[in-house]
Every structure is written in structure tokens, then in C-alpha cells.
Amino acid sequence: MTALWAMLPAYLPNSVALVVGGGPPIDGGRFWRGARLLGDGKTWRGAIGGFLAGVLLALGLNQVGTRSAGSLPVFPLRAALSLPAGAMLGDLAGSFLKRRIGRERGAPAPVLDQLGFVAGAFALTRLLAPGWFRSTFTAPVTVAALLLTPLLHVVTNALAYVVGLKDVPW
């Protein structure tokens, strides 16, 4: 339960970005070494909307978590900001890498698609909220998050495809 709770502010941004995205791409249509930097699917509106949704979720979870009898993590402001920001940056880095290896928008890239945003969320949160990161993401919680994330990613992408939010089920 701790892994899911702690990762929710990192899980939500990409889903929200898919729904609220559109508009100007972050890369401005620029190319590097013959390929787009990121592609049309990575927009300012999606990135900002996803980030804000993750922050608001973390702050909302704090309200719920402080009322629960369990030991759910409370998100300090640095963690509430760094988890969604890191997730979005990890996703952008994944898109950049996919363009470098010749993958087009929507093409699958196993592992990178499922865990790139987690790597970004972990890295930025470890940098900006190191004490909270170490106490929250213990070895068992980290392993649980790394095992749970690909499964959740596959299921949520398939659902997004079924309801027409995505062109491909991955």
C-alpha cells in the first residue's frame, strides 16, 4: 500500500497530460540529428497540467493520510513538487531517447515506457527531498513500486485505448 500511495503523485501526471494536452509542442517542432527532439505529443499544456495535477493530488493525499490510522507517507512540499515534476521530466527524457533510437510517436519502447517516468520521479525526489525519499522508499517499497508500475502502466494504457484517449494500447 505504501508503494502505491507514495507513487500516486508520480503516476497521475502522464494520465492528466494525455487528457489536457494539446497545443504547442515543448520542442517547438525542432529537430536534432534528423529527428524531432520530443515530438508533437509532448506539449506545454500537458506537461503543466500533469505537473499541477500531481502536486494537487499529493497535497490532497496529505489531508487523507493525516486522518488515517495507518502509516501512510505524508508528502512534504519538496516531495509534492518533485515527484510529479520528476515524472514529467522522466517521460520527456524517454521521448527524447525514443527519437534518438528511431522510434516514432506512439511506438512501444518496453521498459523505457513503463519505468522512465519512475526513474525521473525517483531521481528528482532523491535530489530535492533526500530524507523523505530514503525514509519512504525503503528497499521493499522501491521493489514494490518497480514491480507494480509496469502492470499499472499496461492496464491504464489499455483502458485509455478502449475509451479512445490513445491511438495505441501501449
Side-chain angles (χ1 to χ4, degrees), residues 101-154:
I101 61 173
R103 304 267 184 180
E104 294 299 320
R105 178 180 175 193
V111 180
L112 184 59
D113 287 338
Q114 291 82 21
L115 295 174
F117 75 96
V118 173
F122 279 5
L124 192 60
T125 305
R126 188 163 193 251
L127 179 68
L128 298 180
W132 182 86
F133 183 85
R134 278 191 306 277
S135 66
T136 301
F137 288 99
T138 60
V141 171
T142 300
V143 168
L146 292 174
L147 294 175
L148 180 63
T149 300
L151 175 65
L152 288 173
H153 189 270
V154 168

Side-chain angles (χ1 to χ4, degrees), residues 5 7 22 25 33 40 42 52 59 69 73 77 104 112 121 128 147:
W5 182 271
M7 287 301 295
R33 295 187 178 192
D40 287 336
K42 303 302 175 193
L52 292 175
L59 298 176
L77 185 58
E104 294 299 320
L112 184 59
L128 298 180
L147 294 175

Side-chain angles (χ1 to χ4, degrees), residues 3-147:
L4 179 62
W5 182 271
M7 287 301 295
L8 282 173
Y11 287 157
L12 184 64
N14 283 318
S15 298
V16 170
L18 177 65
V19 174
V20 304
I26 293 172
D27 68 8
R30 290 182 196 80
F31 284 75
W32 188 56
R33 295 187 178 192
R36 284 286 295 276
L37 285 171
L38 301 172
D40 287 336
K42 303 302 175 193
T43 67
W44 287 109
R45 188 167 59 205
I48 292 168
F51 167 72
L52 292 175
V55 171
L56 291 174
L57 177 61
L59 298 176
L61 290 174
N62 281 347
Q63 298 305 310
V64 174
T66 56
R67 294 184 185 138
S68 73
S71 59
L72 296 172
V74 173
F75 301 91
L77 185 58
R78 286 183 182 197
L81 295 170
S82 61
L83 281 166
M88 296 306 297
L89 290 171
D91 185 62
L92 291 173
S95 289
F96 179 80
L97 290 173
K98 283 172 73 170
R99 300 298 96 71
R100 303 294 66 80
I101 61 173
R103 304 267 184 180
E104 294 299 320
R105 178 180 175 193
V111 180
L112 184 59
D113 287 338
Q114 291 82 21
L115 295 174
F117 75 96
V118 173
F122 279 5
L124 192 60
T125 305
R126 188 163 193 251
L127 179 68
L128 298 180
W132 182 86
F133 183 85
R134 278 191 306 277
S135 66
T136 301
F137 288 99
T138 60
V141 171
T142 300
V143 168
L146 292 174
L147 294 175

